[in-house]
Amino acid sequence: MSGVLNILFVGVGGQGAILASKILSHVALSKGWDVKLSEIHGMAQRGGSVVTQVRMGEIVFSPTIEAGDVHILVAFEKLEAYRWAHMLKKDGKAIVNDQRIEPLPVLIGAAKYPDSILDDLNSSIQNVTVIPALDLATEAGNAKATNVVLMGILAAHMDIPLERWQEALEAKVPAKLLEVNKKAFMAGYNFAVK
C-alpha cells in the first residue's frame, strides 16, 4: 500500500467500536504495515460517543486524522454518522449501521432525533453503504456482534485476504464468542459483496 489509509470508527458506548479498531489494527499489523490508533471516549459507559481513529501504511507519523482526510467512515449508529460525516474525504466511503440510539437530550425531550439522516447522508456522500447490522448480528446469534458485522462490510471494501480477518478475530475475540462472531463477520461481508 502506498500512502496512509485513514479509517474512522464512530458509535456510542457499548457498541464495540474499540474492539473493532483493535481487530483492524491486528489485520494491518499482520500485513507488516505501520499502524497508529487513537481512541476518544465520551462517557462511554452511559451511551456517550466513542470515536477511534486507525491510520495504517508503510510509515504513519501521527495517530490522529485531520477533518476531510478519512477514507472510510464506519458508523455504528446513524446519528453518529451524521455527526462525523465532515471528516470524510470528498471521495470517501461511509458504512452506516441503520440503528437508532437516542442520546440523552432526545430521551429527556430537550432535542428531536433527526428523521432525515440517511437521506442527508446519501445526498452529501457519494459512496454510502447502509446496513441493518443489528439485524444481521441477531440472525447470526448475538446482537452484540453488530460491530463484527460492520467489520465484515469493511473487509469487503479493503484489499486484504479474508484469512487475515479470520486470524484477527481469533486473536481478539474471546474463544466462547468466536464462532458467533465469525458468522456475524461473514454476514456483513456477504451483504457487501452480493
Side-chain angles (χ1 to χ4, degrees):
M1 176 173 53
S2 63
V4 175
L5 181 63
N6 298 321
I7 299 179
L8 181 67
F9 294 96
V10 298
V12 299
Q15 288 193 290
I18 293 173
L19 175 61
S21 65
K22 289 179 179 176
I23 291 169
L24 176 60
S25 296
H26 188 94
V27 169
L29 288 169
S30 77
K31 295 267 301 174
W33 295 338
D34 188 16
V35 179
K36 298 286 188 292
L37 172 66
S38 174
E39 301 172 357
I40 301 170
H41 311 221
M43 297 180 61
Q45 296 297 320
R46 298 181 184 176
S49 292
V50 175
V51 179
T52 62
Q53 302 179 359
V54 181
R55 304 189 74 218
M56 60 188 74
E58 191 171 311
I59 299 175
V60 180
F61 293 105
S62 171
T64 57
I65 307 170
E66 298 287 329
D69 211 18
V70 169
H71 295 93
I72 304 175
L73 169 67
V74 182
F76 292 64
E77 196 274 342
K78 56 187 177 182
L79 182 58
E80 293 300 315
Y82 193 70
R83 288 172 16 102
W84 292 94
H86 70 281
M87 293 290 290
L88 269 174
K89 295 175 77 74
K90 286 188 178 178
D91 60 346
K93 300 174 184 174
I95 298 168
V96 181
N97 179 17
D98 184 15
Q99 184 178 358
R100 175 179 173 151
I101 299 176
E102 296 182 346
L104 185 59
V106 172
L107 291 173
I108 65 173
K112 183 177 181 292
Y113 194 96
D115 293 325
S116 61
I117 290 174
L118 295 180
D119 290 340
D120 292 348
L121 290 173
N122 278 312
S123 66
S124 62
I125 301 170
Q126 291 180 353
N127 190 341
V128 179
T129 300
V130 178
I131 177 171
L134 177 61
D135 294 341
L136 292 175
T138 302
E139 289 170 14
N142 190 333
K144 291 183 178 178
T146 300
N147 58 341
V148 177
V149 170
L150 292 166
M151 296 307 292
I153 293 277
L154 177 62
H157 286 85
M158 298 180 72
D159 188 22
I160 298 174
L162 281 177
E163 295 77 26
R164 293 196 186 262
W165 294 92
Q166 297 292 337
E167 291 167 7
L169 289 173
E170 291 168 6
K172 297 298 177 184
V173 174
K176 67 180 181 182
L177 300 171
L178 184 58
E179 287 309 310
V180 71
N181 276 278
K182 282 184 172 181
K183 274 181 76 175
F185 177 87
M186 289 311 300
Y189 183 84
N190 290 332
F191 182 91
V193 299
K194 70 179 178 182

